[in-house]
Amino acid sequence: MEPTVSKRIVFNLFDGNITALQKKVVENWLLNPDNQELYFQWLDEWELANLQFSGDTDKAYLRSLNVHPTDTLYPTVEPVFQPIRPIGWWKPLYSVVAAAMVILLAGLFLFRDNLLMKRYETAYGQIKTVNLPDGSRVTLNGNSQLKVNRFGFSEGDRAVWLRGEAEFSVVHTANDNRFVVHTPDQLEVQVLGTEFIVFSRGRGSKVVLTKGSVRLRQTTNPAMAPVIIAPGDVATLTTKGHLELVHHQSLTSYVAWKEHRFVFENTSLAEISRQLNEQFGVRIVLSDSTMAQRTLGGTFRAETATDILQVLTDLLDIQVQRIGNRPETYELTPSTH
C-alpha cells in the first residue's frame, strides 16, 4: 500500500522539522507521478506563507548541475566572533535541515519540468476541452498531451507543446502576442488569433487551417523558408523533414474526431490499423499484403476500437480474432464462410 503523506508532513519538510522516517516516506510518496503535482501545489502554498524566503529555482537548478552538493550545503564562512555554546548542540538540527535541503533540491532537479509546466492529457479514446489562461480553447483528441507554461503564460509569446492531436481556437490579445505550438519533430506553428488543427504523432505532423492565417517553421532546418497557409490548406511535415502543402481541402474528415467519427475515403486497412493504434492503443495484425490493401469508404461513429472492428467484419466480410492483451491485439483474416 502506498504511504500516506499529509500536507502537514510536507510543510514540516519545507520548515526543516521532519524525522528521518518521515523523510523516507515523502521520498517514496514522490515516486508516484500522481503525487508530484500535489507536492508542487503545497510548495507554492508554503512559499506564499513564508514570503521572507524567495528562492531562485532556475539559479538553484543550474548550480545543482555545476556545483558539488557539499559546496552548496556547507559553505565556508569566516565567523566574526565565536559564541560559546555547548559542544554539539547544533548537530541534530543541522542534520535535519541539511537532509531537508537535499530533498528539496533533488525534487527541483527531478521534477523541474512538472514545476514549470502544466500538463493536460487524454487517455485512449478520450476527448477533452481545456481553457488556457489567455482565453484560448484547446480540444485534445485521444492519446494526446499538451504542455503549457505554468507561470507567465500570457506574457510575451504564448508557447505550448503538443504530442498527439488537438484543435486550437486562439484569441487575439491586445498586445499582439504570438501563440506558438511546438511539436516533437520541431515543427513550429505561429499565429495571432485563429482556428486550426495540429496532428503530431510518430508518422509526422500535419496542420489543418480552418480560419485565419498560420505561419509554419521547421526549427531544425533554418534554410527552409517559413510557410504561410490559408483556410482550407493542409500542410504535412513528413518523417524525412519534407513540408508538403495542398490547397482547398474539404475539412470534414479532419474535424470528425471531435464527434467520435471516422471518415474513410477508400482508406486501406493498413491506414485504418494505424488510426486505431493511435486513437485506442490497440495493435492490428493483417494476415497478408492483400488484406492490408483492401479499402473501406464511409463515415462511422466509434468510441472504441471494437466499434470499428465490427464495421470491418460486417462490410468487408473478414474475421477478427483477439490474440493478445498487452497491448490489446487483434488479427484480421479473410472470412472462411
Side-chain angles (χ1 to χ4, degrees):
M1 179 179 294
E2 182 181 293
T4 301
V5 173
S6 66
K7 183 194 293 188
R8 183 67 266 164
I9 292 178
V10 176
F11 273 32
N12 286 343
L13 167 67
F14 299 149
D15 291 332
N17 183 24
I18 191 172
T19 67
L21 178 59
Q22 289 175 325
K23 176 174 75 72
K24 187 64 177 177
V25 169
V26 173
E27 289 175 347
N28 293 334
W29 181 73
L30 280 173
L31 294 177
N32 186 339
D34 294 337
N35 296 329
Q36 295 167 15
E37 179 74 17
L38 183 59
Y39 173 86
F40 288 112
Q41 290 178 5
W42 287 345
L43 176 60
D44 288 341
E45 184 177 336
W46 180 84
E47 288 182 339
L48 288 175
N50 297 268
L51 295 178
Q52 70 275 12
F53 173 78
S54 179
D56 188 338
T57 58
D58 286 337
K59 184 176 180 182
Y61 168 69
L62 293 175
R63 290 181 60 192
S64 70
L65 297 178
N66 299 291
V67 181
H68 193 277
T70 56
D71 296 335
T72 303
L73 297 177
Y74 304 96
T76 302
V77 180
E78 290 294 334
V80 178
F81 61 90
Q82 288 289 345
I84 300 176
R85 291 190 175 95
I87 296 177
W89 72 273
W90 47 270
K91 289 184 178 180
L93 178 60
Y94 193 79
S95 298
V96 170
V97 173
M101 288 300 296
V102 168
I103 294 176
L104 185 58
L105 289 176
L108 291 175
F109 176 77
L110 295 175
F111 310 121
R112 185 172 185 265
D113 191 54
N114 286 346
L115 174 63
L116 300 179
M117 308 295 291
K118 175 69 175 177
R119 281 181 173 83
Y120 303 95
E121 297 179 316
T122 53
Y124 286 113
Q126 180 187 18
I127 295 176
K128 177 193 294 184
T129 298
V130 297
N131 295 310
L132 301 183
D134 66 334
S136 297
R137 186 182 69 253
V138 182
T139 301
L140 292 170
N141 199 356
N143 184 29
S144 300
Q145 180 192 84
L146 183 74
K147 295 198 303 184
V148 181
N149 286 319
R150 189 185 297 275
F151 307 108
F153 174 76
S154 299
E155 301 172 6
D157 285 351
R158 299 166 287 170
V160 303
W161 288 260
L162 173 70
R163 176 191 56 77
E165 186 172 15
E167 181 189 61
F168 294 84
S169 179
V170 178
V171 299
H172 188 183
T173 65
N175 297 328
D176 292 332
N177 293 336
R178 296 185 308 168
F179 190 102
V180 183
V181 182
H182 301 273
T183 67
D185 54 2
Q186 308 305 310
L187 180 66
E188 189 177 85
V189 184
Q190 302 178 5
V191 301
L192 290 176
T194 188
E195 294 183 8
F196 57 99
I197 292 173
V198 178
F199 171 98
S200 184
R201 301 194 190 272
R203 53 195 174 113
S205 291
K206 184 176 296 182
V207 179
V208 181
L209 183 60
T210 54
K211 292 182 181 179
S213 178
V214 165
R215 180 177 183 265
L216 305 180
R217 187 170 72 94
Q218 189 182 12
T219 57
T220 57
N221 187 1
M224 181 182 293
V227 176
I228 306 296
I229 64 175
D233 288 351
V234 177
T236 302
L237 181 65
T238 68
T239 54
K240 296 182 179 180
H242 300 144
L243 191 60
E244 302 172 352
L245 183 63
V246 292
H247 306 284
H248 312 300
Q249 296 296 295
S250 172
L251 303 182
T252 303
S253 60
Y254 295 104
V255 299
W257 58 264
K258 294 184 358 180
E259 299 176 352
H260 295 282
R261 289 188 295 116
F262 286 77
V263 178
F264 300 135
E265 299 173 349
N266 292 323
T267 305
S268 69
L269 281 183
E271 171 61 20
I272 293 174
S273 299
R274 283 191 287 266
Q275 292 186 27
L276 293 181
N277 177 259
E278 292 168 347
Q279 292 287 95
F280 303 114
V282 300
R283 179 170 173 261
I284 305 298
V285 177
L286 302 175
S287 60
D288 52 42
S289 58
T290 302
M291 176 70 69
Q293 294 170 5
R294 295 188 64 178
T295 61
L296 178 67
T299 299
F300 309 96
R301 180 175 175 81
E303 297 191 20
T304 66
T306 53
D307 292 337
I308 293 295
L309 293 174
Q310 185 61 54
V311 170
L312 300 181
T313 300
D314 295 340
L315 298 184
L316 298 184
D317 194 27
I318 62 177
Q319 272 189 319
V320 177
Q321 180 180 3
R322 185 164 180 169
I323 60 174
N325 295 323
R326 295 184 179 180
E328 188 176 332
T329 305
Y330 296 89
E331 182 179 25
L332 275 58
T333 59
S335 178
T336 57
H337 60 78

